[in-house]
Amino acid sequence: MLDESLLDSPEGLAEADHRALLRGAAEAGARVRTAARHAAEAGVGDLKPDGRPRAVLIAGPGAAATQTADLLGTLAGAGSPVTRLAPTGVAPAAGALRWELPGWAGSVDLLLIATPDGTEPGLSLLSEQAYRRGLTVAAVAPAGTPLAEAVSGSRGLFVPVATAPYDHDEPLAASAPGVLWALLTPLLALLDRTGLLTAPPDALQKVADRLDAVAERCGPAVATYSNGAKTLAAELADALPIVWTEGVSAGPAGRRFAAALAELSGTPAVVAELPEALAAHSALLAGPLAASADPDDFFRDRVEEAPALHARVVLLRDRPLGGLTAAPAARELALTHDAPISELEPEEGGELETLAELIAVTDFAAVYLALASAPR
């Protein structure tokens, strides 16, 4: 069960945060600035591509690489297909994972490698395979690792990942906030140079500023009643989050939120995009998870008995109210089944800024839920 008193105890949160998750969320803006500087120092801004790649392939371990591919594919649109190369292996360990290029990949394609580790033999082999087949290779990984040497040795572009001292204190969570921005930022700068998406240096600076603004509003020192992330974490206690997204950029933000909830706090969640979500999840809201499904729940012992698991809708939107929207239908469906609903919508800004705000607020919420519901 959620310890709501812990949410308003900055000292208690810090003591419970053994993986520095809150610090990673609070310093996301600084991580973007450092990563952008590393990209510039690696020469990304001086690149003069001959044209857009036919396809972009992304390889890397864990949720951060999956979410990076999801975000880049969404932002790039139909310009060039962005495909994540899923690893194979007997265990999710650096030495066990292997990646393979598709048979059609060749000299007109771009391979991006993103990892916070860099010791994976499979990624070094993939880099060498790509070099032999003529692909352009770029990697974001820790400096001095086998992967860094392999990419540099095969004339690829290597960008050192932006790390923090506390990254090495505990095993990194794949959904940790700092990891995502450290990997994503240099690749945004690179794909901006290829013309696949728009992420110039001033846009990345605005992303960092927006992340700082969210950290000020949602940090551990801000009380729950005025802290959107803490409020959302409290609302999701003992609930099944049903995450609905509306708008192109909100989709990957919602999928990241669901992954972070599962990994960090052990909270299962389902996610879908509006308007299809209304049909896909209608039965969930009407079934045994509905808030009105157990009329005896009112009479249960609040101290001795665990609360029943009920669905709660979380609506993430990346566009303002008005125009063509399924939000009213979503609210009506939730209301019909007595399902509570939480809504998040970013302040106005560019696509990268609004996306960053949605990710930042939900990252904070996932971390708060993980810390306040962890057994002690």
Side-chain angles (χ1 to χ4, degrees), residues 224-275:
T224 300
Y225 67 85
S226 59
N227 187 321
K230 287 183 179 180
T231 299
L232 180 58
E235 290 171 345
L236 293 182
D238 306 313
L240 172 69
I242 298 182
V243 183
W244 292 344
T245 67
E246 184 171 56
V248 176
S249 298
R255 290 186 285 274
R256 172 174 169 79
F257 186 35
L261 287 171
E263 182 184 358
L264 301 182
S265 68
T267 301
V270 293
V271 59
E273 298 184 18
L274 293 175

Side-chain angles (χ1 to χ4, degrees), residues 37-307:
R37 185 177 71 250
H38 286 182
E41 292 171 351
V44 169
D46 300 325
L47 295 177
K48 295 179 173 58
D50 295 330
R52 291 186 174 192
R54 176 183 63 178
V56 178
L57 306 174
I58 300 181
T66 302
Q67 293 154 11
T68 295
D70 191 8
L71 287 160
L72 292 178
T74 299
L75 293 169
S80 286
V82 176
T83 303
R84 177 182 178 251
L85 302 180
T88 58
V90 297
L97 298 176
R98 292 293 182 270
W99 288 262
E100 290 292 335
L101 289 174
W104 49 263
S107 59
V108 292
D109 303 312
L110 171 63
L111 172 65
L112 304 177
I113 300 176
T115 173
D117 188 329
T119 65
E120 303 91 345
L123 289 178
S124 297
L125 292 173
L126 179 69
S127 172
E128 295 167 3
Q129 181 187 13
Y131 173 68
R132 292 194 299 269
R133 288 171 58 173
L135 280 81
T136 301
V137 180
V140 181
T145 57
L147 177 62
E149 297 174 4
V151 172
S152 299
S154 59
R155 301 178 185 177
L157 174 68
F158 174 75
V159 181
V161 70
T163 60
Y166 53 82
D167 285 348
H168 309 289
D169 295 341
E170 295 283 344
L172 280 174
S175 296
V179 176
L180 174 69
W181 293 109
L183 298 178
L184 178 64
T185 303
L187 299 182
L188 286 172
L190 175 61
L191 294 189
D192 174 74
R193 297 300 300 162
T194 67
L196 282 180
L197 49 80
T198 302
D202 62 324
L204 295 180
Q205 178 60 47
K206 290 180 179 178
V207 167
D209 293 343
R210 183 66 67 97
L211 292 172
D212 287 345
V214 173
E216 291 180 7
R217 300 197 319 262
C218 299
V222 181
T224 300
Y225 67 85
S226 59
N227 187 321
K230 287 183 179 180
T231 299
L232 180 58
E235 290 171 345
L236 293 182
D238 306 313
L240 172 69
I242 298 182
V243 183
W244 292 344
T245 67
E246 184 171 56
V248 176
S249 298
R255 290 186 285 274
R256 172 174 169 79
F257 186 35
L261 287 171
E263 182 184 358
L264 301 182
S265 68
T267 301
V270 293
V271 59
E273 298 184 18
L274 293 175
E276 289 88 351
L278 302 181
H281 293 161
S282 178
L284 272 176
L285 294 179
L289 293 170
S292 57
D294 184 8
D296 295 329
D297 184 61
F298 179 81
F299 299 101
R300 71 176 175 83
D301 188 319
R302 292 306 199 256
V303 176
E304 299 296 333
E305 299 179 34

Side-chain angles (χ1 to χ4, degrees), residues 2-10 12-13 219-224 227 229-235 364-365 367-373 376:
L2 187 80
D3 181 359
E4 293 195 36
S5 64
L6 186 65
L7 291 178
D8 284 325
S9 171
L13 287 169
V222 181
T224 300
N227 187 321
K230 287 183 179 180
T231 299
L232 180 58
E235 290 171 345
F364 267 108
V367 171
Y368 285 131
L369 183 60
L371 297 181
S373 59
R376 279 177 291 280

Side-chain angles (χ1 to χ4, degrees), residues 352-367:
L352 281 176
E353 291 174 78
T354 57
L355 175 58
E357 181 174 340
L358 284 177
I359 291 175
V361 174
T362 52
D363 274 354
F364 267 108
V367 171

